[in-house]
Amino acid sequence: MEFLENLENGSTNIKKMGIVKALFVMFLSILLEVFGQVPEEITDLFSGKYEKALPYVIFVFGVLVKYYVVIILLKWLSNKEIEQKPRYYLNLASFLNATLMVIAFRIIFDNSLTLWIGSISIPNIINEGFNEFRVSSIISIFSVMIVAPIYEEIIFRGILLRGMAKKINPNIAIVVSALLFAIVHINIPQGINAFFLGLVLGFIYLKSGSIYLSVFSHFVNNLMALSVSSFFSSIGGKYAIGIHGMYLIIGVIFLVIAFSGHNQNKIKNKSDIYKEFMEI
């Protein structure tokens, strides 16, 4: 995807933005998605014997809407000049550290706050939305594992966080972008999870400067949420608290190791050969 590559190499230079403008951009992206819903005339065409194909039509249409939302926002919020980003490059250690950091977050969260927020009810309208995704496992997998990581990282890290980090304190920008990320999830349980995940992804993005690494980290989180999280939620019995506590400690240890690995893999200057390669 060209817009991802342009964000990565600095060809797309996001303008500075304050918190108010970031909030406006977030709501604008939501409105554009809402207005881009599949017209009723199209859904009517797939009623009857073609009804099974309707979820796939809605999914494809939704992906196209997200694509054009990204294009519109990037055209509006980017400067013409190329952003100077000569400091960053990715290596295997970058991906390993990011993976370990996300795994640590997932283990910590699933064995602490999840035990509390699991009792909070989710509005019926949100549950209905989840049920629509479950109509097809293919749609669910593509939505959660591919579409969501790419789209959400471009909006919340590539545009909002990057824009705010140029105008306000980067640490505050991470917190605000994480809060905005939580708000769009509409419900409290997912919102709390999204906020803390947003902090982790924001840290990874700003420290690496790589939207690729941010998208990859989001993918790892969603993979963990679909697989390992269900295991943690099934833990019960007499020793449940102790078992959760043990996993919590393991998560903290992983997090310390991840941060230590990050510090040892400090951003290095690109070689001249690498710079020339990026320019081609």
Side-chain angles (χ1 to χ4, degrees), residues 189-200:
Q190 276 197 314
I192 295 174
N193 174 73
F195 174 73
F196 287 103
L197 174 62
L199 295 179
V200 174

Side-chain angles (χ1 to χ4, degrees), residues 158-228:
I159 295 177
L160 296 181
L161 175 54
R162 186 150 200 88
M164 286 189 291
K166 292 179 178 180
K167 188 169 184 178
I168 64 177
N169 184 293
N171 293 324
I172 296 177
I174 290 177
V175 174
V176 174
S177 66
L179 183 59
L180 297 179
F181 187 46
I183 291 173
V184 298
H185 285 78
I186 304 175
N187 64 91
I188 294 177
Q190 276 197 314
I192 295 174
N193 174 73
F195 174 73
F196 287 103
L197 174 62
L199 295 179
V200 174
L201 295 176
F203 174 84
I204 290 172
Y205 178 66
L206 284 191
K207 292 300 181 181
S208 68
S210 173
I211 192 69
Y212 290 154
L213 191 60
S214 178
V215 170
F216 172 78
S217 301
H218 197 144
F219 165 81
V220 172
N221 173 79
N222 288 6
L223 178 62
M224 291 281 293
L226 289 176
S227 55
V228 182

Side-chain angles (χ1 to χ4, degrees), residues 41-54:
E41 292 77 10
I42 294 180
T43 60
D44 290 341
L45 295 175
F46 290 88
S47 59
K49 64 178 181 179
Y50 299 110
E51 191 171 355
K52 291 184 179 180
L54 183 57

